[in-house]
Amino acid sequence: MFIKILLLIAFIAITVGVGLYFRKRASDVNSFVLGGRSVGPWLTAFAYGTSYFSAVIFVGYAGQFGWRFGLSATWVGIGNALVGSLLPWVILGRRTRIMTRHLGSATMPEFFAARYKSNALKIAASFIVFIFLIPYTASLYNGLSRLFEMAFHIDFTICIVAMAVLTGIYVIAGGYFATAVNDFIQGIIMLVGIVAVIAAVLGSHGGFISSITELAKIEDAAVSTTPGIFASFFGPDPLGLLGVVLLTSLGTWGLPQMVQKFYAIKSEKAIQKGTIISTFFALIIAGGCYFMGGFGRLFSDTATVGANGFDSIVPSMLSGFSNLLIGVVIILVLAASMSTLSSLVMASASTFTIDFLKGHVVKKMDDKKQLVSIRLLIVVFIVISGAIAILQYKQGIAFIAQLMGVSWGALAGSFLAPFLYGLYWKRVSKVSVWCSFLFSSLLMILNMLFRSSFPTIIQSPINAGAFAMLAGLVIVPVVSLLSPKPAKAHVDECFSCYEETVTVKVKEDLGVEAGA
């Protein structure tokens, strides 16, 4: 217990210290929300990765999908690295940084307002962000609290309050820059921790080969009658596996707390380096988590699966390890959860202030008032999501993966297509953006309320969310082609930022004329 507490105190001291150290760099809205758009590649890449992966992945998804798909769940981690990290940096990174700066947008709803010339879109998008980030945040608390209960045997409510207060202190004090620096520190902890955990999990069953052999012997007639299915390449349910890969990978393209990382990046070189760093980070963290979760059935003697049982699998796997390793795991998951929580509350509070309160509720809102509002809303958001987490836990409303599925499905389904097409295609219409917003939001709300009435393939929030994203990629171009063209002058002005001439050094461009 002493080791666990010592590691915990050290982590808290560093985290709070970073927040207080950078408080002077959060003196205005631009520096508080975007770090002055001067954040380097390592901080941005780690901020992207740590916002991506949290206790939801480590406890909820790794446990549930490792149990469901066996070793093939590792494909989810690979998809997260390639589709969820590499491709967004390559396809969205540069264009997002260029156009958002040109349009003067600090949030995703502000981008929609400026790109599609609609204040109503900005207000609608800000409500979608604020409402649907809450269940995701609640899921972070629950995943972390289960591990704290296992390690310290303390009340669930205390875990939530402690995590909320700690995150609130360093985010409110230091803003985006403090969050990015803490994300970097927390990312290092996650990398070291996941390697240690995988080694311990495999070591507890005789090593890699022995663990694979044992996993191949496990049978579950309710899932599949094929021998060795849980140690196979694609597992017992390849289509279900594909749905999880799509939701957890493609979803990052439309999540405001993820895309906003590109707004703040410093330079072209930072984007290039950040792409590589972010991809390797995701491969190790996500690939490691799902790989570890794939061996969950080897611990079936301690892991119970039933109502809310999937969330207990990973804590059960770890419960028999040494106090030092459990302490490392606690810090790992705490780091992952706090980094994601800080990103979520920052995105939600800044969006609601800049895109809804400013100019609509409060007509004259100067920079100082905006900063006060963002900080107050961070507190409000943390309190609301914490209260929902406690209610969800005590009433057993839904387990971690469901909460995240609803949130990701509504947000990414609503925003992915309008944002992606908006960066590349001049023909996107305002009507098509409204259709994407309404379709995905309503689909996920109805799925949550009337799940049993949905077709079997999309009853799961995971599959429903993946369907919402793919549908949006079809809805936006089809509706755009059927609706009136947007004003040419406005669209040309938006895209003019890509045509600006810049001077670069010879080492970056040969500058040789054609035929020379």
Side-chain angles (χ1 to χ4, degrees):
M1 186 63 70
F2 175 75
I3 294 173
K4 298 174 194 173
I5 294 174
L6 189 64
L7 288 172
L8 193 59
I9 291 173
F11 175 79
I12 292 172
I14 293 171
T15 301
V16 174
V18 168
L20 297 176
Y21 179 80
F22 286 104
R23 68 187 185 280
K24 291 183 180 179
R25 298 189 65 164
S27 56
D28 56 60
V29 172
N30 182 53
S31 59
F32 189 87
V33 176
L34 296 177
R37 296 186 189 264
S38 60
V39 184
W42 283 91
L43 293 184
T44 302
F46 271 68
Y48 185 93
T50 54
S51 297
Y52 194 167
F53 308 116
S54 65
V56 175
I57 300 292
F58 190 82
V59 178
Y61 274 19
Q64 177 175 349
F65 300 125
W67 188 276
R68 180 177 166 188
F69 301 120
L71 204 56
S72 66
T74 308
W75 280 109
V76 182
I78 296 172
N80 291 173
L82 300 180
V83 181
S85 294
L86 174 65
L87 290 183
W89 277 81
V90 172
I91 296 173
L92 300 179
R94 291 187 72 258
R95 283 186 169 254
T96 297
R97 176 65 173 82
I98 294 167
M99 187 176 279
T100 56
R101 184 178 184 182
H102 176 67
L103 298 177
S105 56
T107 66
M108 189 176 274
E110 262 197 329
F111 170 83
F112 291 133
R115 171 65 179 83
Y116 300 111
K117 211 172 183 180
S118 171
N119 249 347
L121 277 177
K122 180 171 75 170
I123 295 171
S126 68
F127 268 97
I128 292 172
V129 169
F130 196 79
I131 291 169
F132 286 102
L133 280 184
I134 289 176
Y136 183 15
T137 309
S139 69
L140 298 181
Y141 289 118
N142 285 354
L144 179 68
S145 297
R146 292 180 192 280
L147 282 175
F148 263 76
E149 283 184 318
M150 178 268 289
F152 297 104
H153 307 293
I154 58 177
D155 185 70
F156 176 85
T157 307
I158 296 175
C159 299
I160 290 181
V161 172
M163 179 179 169
V165 170
L166 184 57
T167 305
I169 288 173
Y170 81 77
V171 175
I172 292 170
Y176 184 83
F177 219 95
T179 301
V181 172
N182 268 324
D183 286 348
F184 180 77
I185 296 169
Q186 291 159 359
I188 297 295
I189 294 170
M190 291 166 66
L191 289 171
V192 173
I194 193 63
V195 172
V197 170
I198 291 172
V201 167
L202 296 178
S204 66
H205 285 78
F208 176 67
I209 300 298
S210 179
S211 297
I212 293 287
T213 304
E214 284 189 47
L215 191 63
K217 295 176 182 177
I218 293 176
E219 297 181 4
D220 187 343
V223 177
S224 175
T225 56
T226 304
I229 194 67
F230 294 110
S232 64
F233 198 62
F234 288 117
D237 183 11
L239 288 179
L241 181 63
L242 179 61
V244 177
V245 171
L246 286 175
L247 177 71
T248 61
S249 302
L250 195 59
T252 61
W253 296 46
L255 293 176
Q257 74 272 20
M258 302 298 296
V259 175
Q260 197 164 312
K261 300 295 185 289
F262 299 134
Y263 289 35
I265 200 163
K266 187 176 182 179
S267 64
E268 179 74 25
K269 284 185 177 180
I271 293 174
Q272 295 169 1
K273 290 180 182 177
T275 303
I276 298 170
I277 297 165
S278 181
T279 303
F280 275 101
F281 183 88
L283 192 61
I284 295 170
I285 298 298
C289 282
Y290 288 109
F291 176 76
M292 174 201 68
F295 293 97
R297 286 178 179 266
L298 297 182
F299 298 82
S300 57
D301 54 331
T302 56
T304 56
V305 178
N308 296 327
F310 288 118
D311 300 339
S312 68
I313 293 173
V314 171
S316 296
M317 292 172 68
L318 304 174
S319 60
F321 295 154
S322 69
N323 284 328
L324 178 59
L325 184 59
I326 291 176
V328 170
V329 171
I330 293 298
I331 301 303
L332 182 162
V333 180
L334 181 61
S337 298
M338 285 178 55
S339 58
T340 305
L341 177 61
S342 64
S343 179
L344 294 177
V345 297
M346 179 72 79
S348 182
S350 60
T351 294
F352 205 71
T353 296
I354 296 170
D355 303 320
F356 177 66
L357 296 181
K358 180 185 174 184
H360 299 99
V361 177
V362 182
K363 296 299 181 183
K364 293 183 179 180
M365 199 175 197
D366 59 23
D367 200 79
K368 187 176 180 180
K369 289 179 180 177
Q370 290 178 58
L371 202 55
V372 171
S373 173
I374 291 171
R375 284 175 162 144
L376 287 175
L377 282 171
I378 286 172
V379 175
V380 171
F381 188 82
I382 287 175
V383 170
I384 292 174
S385 57
I388 291 176
I390 294 171
L391 179 66
Q392 180 270 324
Y393 178 79
K394 293 187 181 297
Q395 307 246 338
I397 298 170
F399 50 79
I400 291 173
Q402 287 180 324
L403 287 172
M404 187 176 173
V406 170
S407 176
W408 277 46
L411 288 163
S414 297
F415 299 150
L416 190 157
F419 190 81
L420 173 63
Y421 288 124
L423 293 174
Y424 281 90
W425 191 32
K426 294 183 178 182
R427 185 66 176 80
V428 183
S429 69
K430 182 165 57 178
V431 176
S432 71
V433 180
W434 277 112
C435 289
S436 181
F437 284 9
L438 291 171
F439 177 82
S440 296
S441 298
L442 289 174
L443 176 70
M444 297 312 298
I445 290 171
L446 292 173
N447 177 269
M448 193 164 47
L449 298 175
F450 308 105
R451 187 162 298 147
S452 59
S453 301
F454 273 61
T456 305
I457 193 170
I458 58 171
Q459 280 188 3
S460 161
I462 307 297
N463 291 344
F467 175 73
M469 285 184 284
L470 294 176
L473 292 172
V474 176
I475 289 171
V476 169
V478 170
V479 174
S480 293
L481 292 173
L482 295 176
S483 54
K485 290 183 179 180
K488 186 177 186 301
H490 173 70
V491 175
D492 287 344
E493 201 285 324
C494 289
F495 278 78
S496 65
C497 57
Y498 297 138
E499 306 303 324
E500 293 179 11
T501 302
V502 295
T503 303
V504 298
K505 295 179 180 178
V506 176
K507 66 181 180 180
E508 296 175 8
D509 191 304
L510 292 176
V512 180
E513 295 181 5

